[in-house]
Amino acid sequence: MIALLSYPRHCLSTSRATPAGTQRSTGSSPANVQTVVDRVEEVGLTTHLSTGEERTIIGVVGLPLPPSLDDMFAVLPGVEQVVRVTKKFKLAGWDFQPRKTTITIDTLTIGGGDITVIAGPCSVETEAQTLETARAVADAGATVLRGGAFKPRTSPYEFRGLGERGLAILAQAREATGLKIITEVMTPADVEVVGQYTDIFQIGARNCQNYLLLEEVGKAMKPVMLKRGLSLLIEEWLLAAEYVMAQGNPDVILCERGIRTFETATRNTLDVSAVPVVQSLSHLPVFIDPSHAAGKREFVGALALAGIAAGADGLMIEVHPSPDHALSDGAQSLDVAEFNALMPRMAAVAGAVGRTLPAPASAGATASRG
Ligand code: PEP
Ligand code: MN
């Protein structure tokens, strides 16, 4: 059993270790773990347990930390090592949780060996458009339907979504196809209503550092996809995830969607390196959104393949039955035929990097799923 103490930077101190292996088999007994947890709570701090096969890690967060805290834990039964974590992101980092996060929604697992494909329109426009897209992407092998009902638009005069009516259409599409749904929530006040419909909350790039919103979805206990802010450092992005996790919600997905650079040939610059860099720093699943990065449909496929090759755990791709008529982001939306053609190519790259892209459900099965 290891107690990890999270100290602020200026309190950096030594760690005390006993030889690895000592007391491993008996150290993490429930009674020993409970003793440490009780002690932590007595001094007004919070614990985060990570139970592995070999050892249990008890993360301790909170301030102020009594100066003698590490000595206090080191003598408790079963404690093998007390380590002070000075990294800023504690819950999102590997120290508190040394195994990759997998998120389970019914039969869907995100962050395992399978690559998850989220697909659908930028915006929910009509029932027919959403259902048609949902059926098409389900038949092609996507497992989550995307679609914005509350849309953050750069101009206030553009289509800003159908609101709750859009959420109801998404729920209808879930019923018809068995797909899970993801949709954006823009304000803390909307978390409740969006949570009544969605399976996954999407936090958009523009809201990645809206800390009150992050805390509200952190309390909602449904998975959260956190899109990287337009000019966010990876450390800032992980600290945004930390806001969600600090409220007790561990199910955060990070989505790289392109950052703003000097380049204007694409809408944003896809930071492919964010995939391995974030994975080296964090156990959270990392997705790629090639659509908002490219801004142009012709480049979406190449960026999707690059994301998978770099090790992404999933993709989010905009698909519209008639992109030229889309009310938002038509230029970067694939049509159904383009999406159908891309899926097997993504599966091939996934295979080359030791991942799998689940085979599509057979045509016709979609009608009975749900
Ligand atoms: C979207 O997914 O439609 C969207 C608005 O994305 P982003 O927040 O990454 O711009
Ligand atoms: Mn969009």
Side-chain angles (χ1 to χ4, degrees):
M1 177 162 63
I2 300 180
L4 289 188
L5 305 185
S6 123
Y7 274 63
R9 227 170 244 289
H10 63 272
C11 284
L12 199 121
S13 141
T14 55
S15 68
R16 175 189 167 282
T18 53
T22 47
Q23 302 178 18
R24 226 183 248 171
S25 52
T26 54
S28 300
S29 70
N32 282 351
V33 171
Q34 196 55 48
T35 304
V36 175
V37 169
D38 290 347
R39 202 75 187 87
V40 172
E41 287 171 1
E42 259 170 47
V43 290
L45 302 169
T46 323
T47 52
H48 293 265
L49 285 193
S50 170
T51 311
E53 275 177 21
E54 295 206 338
R55 47 169 68 88
T56 296
I57 293 178
I58 305 177
V60 181
V61 281
L63 282 172
L65 293 169
S68 59
L69 205 62
D70 50 351
D71 291 342
M72 193 172 98
F73 286 118
V75 297
L76 292 178
V79 174
E80 176 190 333
Q81 200 179 351
V82 180
V83 181
R84 299 183 181 205
V85 176
T86 52
K87 278 202 199 74
K88 286 186 182 169
F89 40 91
K90 307 183 190 292
L91 304 175
W94 286 106
D95 295 305
F96 274 28
Q97 185 186 306
R99 58 179 194 290
K100 265 194 87 156
T101 286
T102 53
I103 299 171
T104 305
I105 311 171
D106 301 330
T107 53
L108 174 67
T109 301
I110 296 172
D114 284 353
I115 289 174
T116 305
V117 178
I118 301 174
C122 178
S123 305
V124 176
E125 299 166 4
T126 64
E127 191 181 307
Q129 165 249 13
T130 305
L131 269 108
E132 183 181 346
T133 315
R135 291 201 172 95
V137 299
D139 286 345
T143 49
V144 183
L145 174 70
R146 63 148 290 143
F150 294 92
K151 293 300 302 175
R153 302 306 304 274
T154 302
S155 159
Y157 307 118
E158 292 171 325
F159 176 64
R160 292 165 68 183
L162 297 181
E164 190 169 355
R165 163 106 191 94
L167 299 176
I169 292 174
L170 284 170
Q172 221 181 316
R174 169 176 53 203
E175 194 63 31
T177 59
L179 293 170
K180 302 296 171 217
I181 56 179
I182 178 170
T183 196
E184 179 160 355
V185 58
M186 285 172 55
T187 70
D190 289 339
V191 168
E192 195 181 333
V193 66
V194 175
Q196 282 165 15
Y197 294 89
T198 199
D199 297 301
I200 307 172
F201 287 108
Q202 176 173 327
I203 302 291
R206 290 155 191 82
N207 268 318
C208 188
Q209 285 183 303
N210 181 339
Y211 298 123
L212 296 179
L213 177 60
L214 298 177
E215 289 192 325
E216 208 55 35
V217 291
K219 290 178 204 150
M221 293 303 162
K222 278 195 173 184
V224 175
M225 172 181 272
L226 185 56
K227 299 190 89 178
R228 182 178 182 180
L230 275 69
S231 61
L232 230 58
L233 299 177
I234 285 173
E235 182 177 273
E236 293 167 330
W237 188 18
L238 289 169
L239 284 169
E242 196 79 15
Y243 266 89
V244 178
M245 300 176 85
Q247 294 300 317
N249 187 346
D251 292 338
V252 179
I253 302 160
L254 297 164
C255 181
E256 159 64 39
R257 44 76 75 204
I259 50 175
R260 189 156 283 182
T261 68
F262 53 82
E263 184 56 73
T264 55
T266 50
R267 183 175 177 186
N268 293 287
T269 298
L270 183 70
D271 181 7
V272 180
S273 57
V275 177
V277 172
V278 170
Q279 287 172 343
S280 77
L281 296 170
S282 172
H283 49 80
L284 297 174
V286 184
F287 278 44
I288 285 283
D289 169 352
S291 308
H292 290 84
K296 291 177 189 153
R297 161 176 340 144
E298 63 186 296
F299 305 128
V300 168
L303 299 189
L305 300 178
I308 295 175
D313 297 294
L315 291 130
M316 175 184 258
I317 301 176
E318 286 186 339
V319 179
H320 194 286
S322 176
D324 293 345
H325 296 96
L327 295 182
S328 61
D329 286 349
Q332 67 194 33
S333 299
L334 301 184
D335 64 24
V336 169
E338 287 166 333
F339 184 65
N340 282 336
L342 180 58
M343 285 293 274
R345 296 174 67 213
M346 297 203 301
V349 176
V353 294
R355 303 291 285 268
T356 45
L357 203 145
S362 59
T366 52
S368 58
R369 273 184 284 148

